């Protein structure tokens, strides 16, 4: 029978590689990624400073953000980056936890492989253990009522406790909860589209100045160079996509003006054209005009601003194309592509539109409040001392909103602080005693691997992890299902009493996704490079 040389360098019989070296290499690469972000887990976790290739600096301890910025070369390590993204899409929180659990499971796999257990056997046993873990979690979870605002705020505060902006959680948590509840019907909703919530960032002031606006906010002031109004009550708003400037010739064509008479005629025609457009806007009854950005030519000029100011019409310029749909849904208006189609039916309405000076900075924003809001949308005006803080606050509020979304999807809560993982570990160890053969070994290894979460929480908080995890095991063995690590008091307490809660979906999703990824990595026995 012929012999073949595999990429790992071992001689194999009949062309089927044992793949031992490849498997070890894959496990080591994935574990390296998990170890890199392990210190970011929990309320006392460290932050990472990331410097991008263009010199931009990012400070975060969100697992998905850190991993998405890392330049990972090894294909198996990339699987952990994708794993973190999957958790971010599914639950929005627990992106660090999912990688830490995957790293611990891979470590357990390495030990089981050294005992001679077949990779396929390990993968199938882990999947069975994962199903049992989900059942255990559902057994210890408590139902949540979306009308109980305080319990939602408790869950969101737990999520924010591990962020850079944790000290501002008393301000951000209610905003995150109210913004999500404002765009859904709590009785019937099964999911939340977070695109219905617009985040507007403004440098200046502190995070405590962040506010929730039931309406819409534009991050630039209105145009007042021609003396137009800056505040309008009972506003009728037109969102226009045509340009309030003179038409241009094609790129290849030139207009040659030979004398002053022709120049005057050209300026008169331009003035007549722009005045005609402005009159059509006035005729529709609009007293606030939103002008979309234009690439081909100027969206507006000083002449058009002058005419609109004379007609007492407020002007907000540079509306991004991406924001048109959100604005239309919020204000109940329709985008108008041509001046001839201006009509009263296409206008939006707001009780008050005004330019507001932002405290702590010289910036001005335009606020529209008292909107009928048929599309159910909300706007969060985020404040921060610099762009780094603002960017991290934006990510943190998004994660907090994802926690509320998880509770809408699956209306159950469980205790945080490593309580869920410790309870699963205890119950799976008990189940492993009743299992037979290889299943017993694998189930026990799975149970022990999950203890990495409370172990890491204790380690990051500067506690003795071995003592703390031992105490935690004892508390769960005594029947305290909510027992977890209280990093503020440096001891084991009941997390339900401390209001340290998290959505059931975050934990079930993390364990399921981590187990599936580990099973996939285990079944790889060779790496084929296609050039």
């Amino acid at each position: 029978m012929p012999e073949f040389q595999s990429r790992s360098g071992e001689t194999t019989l009949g062309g089927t590689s044992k793949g031992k070296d490849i498997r070890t290499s894959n496990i080591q690469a994935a574990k390296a990624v998990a170890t890199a972000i392990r210190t970011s887990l929990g309320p006392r976790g460290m932050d990472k400073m990331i410097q991008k290739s263009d010199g931009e600096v990012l400070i975060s301890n969100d697992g998905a953000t850190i991993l998405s910025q890392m330049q990972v070369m090894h294909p198996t390590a990339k699987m952990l980056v994708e794993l973190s993204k999957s958790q971010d899409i599914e639950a929005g929180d627990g992106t660090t936890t999912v990688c830490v659990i995957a790293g611990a499971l891979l470590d357990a796999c390495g030990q089981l492989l050294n005992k001679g257990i077949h990779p396929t056997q390990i993968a199938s046993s882990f999947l069975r253990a994962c199903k049992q873990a989900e059942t255990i979690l559902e057994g210890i979870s408590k139902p949540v009522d979306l009308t109980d605002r305080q319990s939602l705020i408790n869950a969101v505060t737990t999520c924010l406790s591990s962020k850079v902006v944790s000290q501002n959680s008393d301000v951000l948590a209610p905003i995150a909860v109210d913004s999500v509840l404002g765009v859904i019907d709590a009785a019937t909703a099964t999911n939340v589209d977070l695109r219905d919530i617009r985040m507007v960032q403004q440098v200046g002031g502190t995070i405590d100045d962040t506010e929730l606006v039931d309406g819409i906010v534009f991050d630039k002031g209105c145009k007042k160079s021609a003396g137009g109004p800056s505040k309008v009550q009972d506003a009728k708003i037109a969102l226009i996509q045509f340009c309030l400037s003179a038409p241009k010739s094609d790129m290849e064509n030139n207009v040659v003006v030979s004398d002053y008479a022709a120049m005057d005629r050209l300026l008169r025609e331009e003035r007549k054209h722009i005045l005609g457009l402005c009159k059509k806007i006035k005729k529709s009854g609009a007293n606030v005009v939103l002008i979309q950005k234009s690439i081909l030519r100027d969206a507006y000029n000083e002449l058009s601003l002058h005419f609109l100011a004379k007609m007492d019409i407020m002007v907000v310029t540079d509306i991004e194309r991406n924001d048109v749909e959100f604005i239309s849904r919020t204000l109940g208006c329709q985008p108008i592509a041509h001046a001839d189609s201006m009509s009263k039916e296409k206008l939006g309405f707001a009780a008050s539109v005004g330019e507001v000076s932002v405290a702590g900075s010289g910036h001005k924003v335009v606020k529209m409040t008292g909107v009928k809001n048929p599309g159910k949308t909300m706007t969060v005006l985020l404040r921060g001392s610099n762009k780094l803080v603002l960017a991290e606050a934006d990510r943190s509020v998004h994660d907090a909103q994802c926690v509320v979304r998880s509770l809408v999807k699956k209306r159950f809560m469980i205790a945080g602080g490593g309580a869920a993982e410790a309870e699963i570990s205890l119950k799976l160890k008990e189940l492993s005693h009743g299992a037979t053969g290889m299943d017993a070994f694998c189930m026990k290894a799975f149970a022990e691997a999950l203890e990495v979460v409370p172990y890491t929480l204790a380690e990051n908080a500067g506690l003795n992890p071995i003592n703390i995890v031992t105490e935690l095991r004892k508390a769960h063995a005594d029947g305290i299902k909510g027992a977890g690590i209280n990093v503020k008091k440096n001891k084991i307490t009941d997390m339900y009493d401390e209001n340290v809660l998290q959505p059931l979906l975050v934990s079930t999703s993390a364990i399921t996704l981590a187990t599936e990824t580990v099973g996939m990595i285990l079944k790889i026995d060779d790496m084929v490079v296609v050039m």
Side-chain angles (χ1 to χ4, degrees):
M1 193 173 282
E3 287 186 344
F4 295 90
Q5 193 81 10
S6 78
R7 193 175 183 276
S8 54
E10 53 182 299
T11 305
T12 59
L13 202 61
T16 51
S17 165
K18 292 175 190 171
K20 189 177 176 184
D21 290 350
I22 289 289
R23 208 168 280 118
T24 308
S25 160
N26 288 347
I27 288 172
Q28 290 299 332
K31 272 168 63 182
V33 172
T35 307
I37 62 164
R38 192 178 150 191
T39 53
S40 298
L41 186 71
R44 299 288 164 92
M46 295 290 151
D47 302 329
K48 301 276 186 271
M49 181 181 272
I50 303 156
Q51 186 169 17
K52 296 185 187 178
S53 54
D54 60 357
E56 189 187 340
V57 175
L58 203 72
I59 298 171
S60 181
N61 68 355
D62 177 53
T65 306
I66 296 164
L67 290 175
S68 64
Q69 299 297 334
M70 284 170 70
Q71 289 186 337
V72 181
M73 298 301 173
H74 199 285
T76 314
K78 283 179 184 173
M79 287 173 73
L80 249 69
V81 177
E82 294 302 318
L83 168 67
S84 186
K85 283 182 187 171
S86 301
Q87 175 72 3
D88 197 30
I89 293 163
E90 177 62 24
D93 193 25
T95 50
T96 310
T97 307
V98 74
C99 288
V100 170
I101 291 173
L105 289 175
L106 286 167
D107 200 25
C109 290
Q111 293 168 21
L112 292 170
L113 288 167
N114 290 338
K115 287 179 182 174
I117 301 174
H118 197 273
T120 313
Q121 175 71 49
I122 298 169
S124 58
S125 295
F126 273 16
L127 282 171
R128 278 194 289 274
C130 176
K131 292 272 190 299
Q132 292 285 352
E134 278 190 55
T135 310
I136 294 161
L137 278 176
E138 284 166 9
I140 63 167
S141 63
K142 292 185 175 181
V144 63
D145 184 4
L146 291 182
T147 55
D148 181 6
R149 182 170 173 267
Q150 190 53 49
S151 61
L152 299 181
I153 289 173
N154 291 339
V156 169
T157 306
T158 305
C159 163
L160 290 172
S161 66
S162 62
K163 308 292 181 191
V164 178
V165 294
S166 57
Q167 67 273 19
N168 306 101
S169 57
D170 56 332
V171 174
L172 297 180
I175 286 174
V177 171
D178 293 340
S179 64
V180 174
L181 293 180
V183 299
I184 60 164
D185 180 3
T188 57
T190 54
N191 204 345
V192 182
D193 187 354
L194 293 180
R195 287 173 297 187
D196 290 342
I197 304 166
R198 187 167 183 249
M199 311 291 276
V200 178
Q201 298 181 16
Q202 269 295 340
V203 175
T206 64
I207 292 172
D208 288 334
D209 297 326
T210 298
E211 60 179 307
L212 181 66
V213 180
D214 188 7
I216 197 164
V217 177
F218 297 100
D219 55 5
K220 287 181 181 175
C222 62
K223 284 285 174 188
K224 294 183 297 185
S225 55
S230 60
K231 194 164 189 177
V232 176
Q233 297 295 329
D234 192 23
K236 296 173 185 66
I237 305 152
L239 172 57
I240 65 169
Q241 295 179 306
F242 56 88
C243 297
L244 293 177
S245 60
K248 281 188 176 178
S249 61
D250 292 337
M251 282 187 179
E252 295 82 15
N253 298 343
N254 292 316
V255 177
V256 180
V257 181
S258 54
D259 59 357
Y260 286 114
M263 190 185 289
D264 284 345
R265 199 160 59 249
L266 199 68
L267 289 170
R268 263 200 316 276
E269 285 299 321
E270 181 182 337
R271 185 184 176 89
K272 187 179 169 185
H273 172 75
I274 293 171
L275 184 57
L277 294 175
C278 293
K279 279 181 177 175
K280 283 175 184 173
I281 293 171
K282 181 68 177 173
K283 191 180 176 184
S284 69
N287 53 11
V288 177
V289 173
L290 309 178
I291 305 175
Q292 187 182 314
K293 261 186 182 177
S294 173
I295 301 168
L296 296 173
R297 67 178 211 242
D298 297 334
Y300 61 92
N301 59 19
E302 286 300 319
L303 192 60
S304 60
L305 292 178
H306 168 73
F307 286 139
L308 291 171
K310 290 282 184 191
M311 294 170 183
D312 217 26
I313 295 173
M314 183 176 170
V315 181
V316 181
T317 58
D318 295 341
I319 302 297
E320 294 288 348
R321 188 186 184 90
N322 301 337
D323 296 334
V324 168
E325 188 197 346
F326 182 87
I327 294 165
S328 300
R329 274 190 295 142
T330 306
L331 301 175
C333 62
Q334 292 177 32
I336 301 161
H338 196 274
D340 292 340
S341 56
M342 285 286 303
S343 67
K344 194 175 182 179
E345 292 74 38
K346 293 187 177 181
L347 303 182
F349 299 93
S352 172
V353 176
E355 188 178 68
V356 183
S357 288
V358 177
S361 73
H363 292 291
K364 292 188 176 180
V365 296
V366 173
K367 266 190 195 177
M368 295 186 178
T369 52
V371 297
K372 291 179 181 176
N373 205 347
K376 277 200 165 186
T377 59
M378 299 292 269
T379 305
V380 177
L381 178 58
L382 274 172
R383 307 295 311 287
S385 54
N386 58 49
K387 286 183 180 177
L388 286 178
V389 173
L390 264 179
E392 183 57 20
D394 192 345
R395 284 190 291 272
S396 301
V397 172
H398 179 264
D399 281 2
Q401 289 165 344
C402 287
V403 166
V404 185
R405 186 184 65 183
S406 298
L407 289 168
V408 173
K409 281 183 180 179
K410 214 172 194 174
R411 301 186 183 196
F412 290 93
M413 275 185 186
I414 52 171
E421 289 80 7
E423 183 67 18
I424 296 168
S425 182
L426 177 78
K427 290 283 193 287
L428 282 180
K429 279 177 188 170
E430 288 173 6
L431 286 168
S432 71
H433 296 317
T436 55
M438 301 295 184
D439 262 359
F441 275 108
C442 297
M443 199 175 278
K444 192 182 177 193
F446 187 94
E448 286 172 353
L450 287 180
E451 285 186 345
V452 73
V453 174
Y455 187 95
T456 308
L457 283 174
E459 198 173 47
N460 290 349
L463 308 174
N464 185 327
I466 295 169
N467 289 353
I468 288 288
V469 173
T470 308
E471 275 183 55
L472 189 60
R473 280 183 198 148
K474 183 182 181 300
H476 280 268
D478 292 343
I480 308 169
K481 292 182 178 179
I485 300 166
N486 188 331
V487 294
K488 290 177 182 173
K489 295 179 182 173
N490 293 348
K491 62 178 183 180
I492 304 297
T493 56
D494 193 329
M495 294 288 108
Y496 287 118
D497 295 341
E498 301 287 337
N499 286 326
V500 177
L501 304 165
Q502 65 184 45
L504 171 65
L505 183 69
V506 171
S507 290
T508 53
S509 168
I511 293 168
T512 308
L513 290 172
T515 309
E516 286 173 358
T517 304
V518 167
M520 203 183 294
I521 291 170
L522 273 180
K523 289 180 181 178
I524 298 167
D525 73 340
D526 209 345
M527 198 184 295
V528 180
V529 180
V530 181
M531 303 304 284

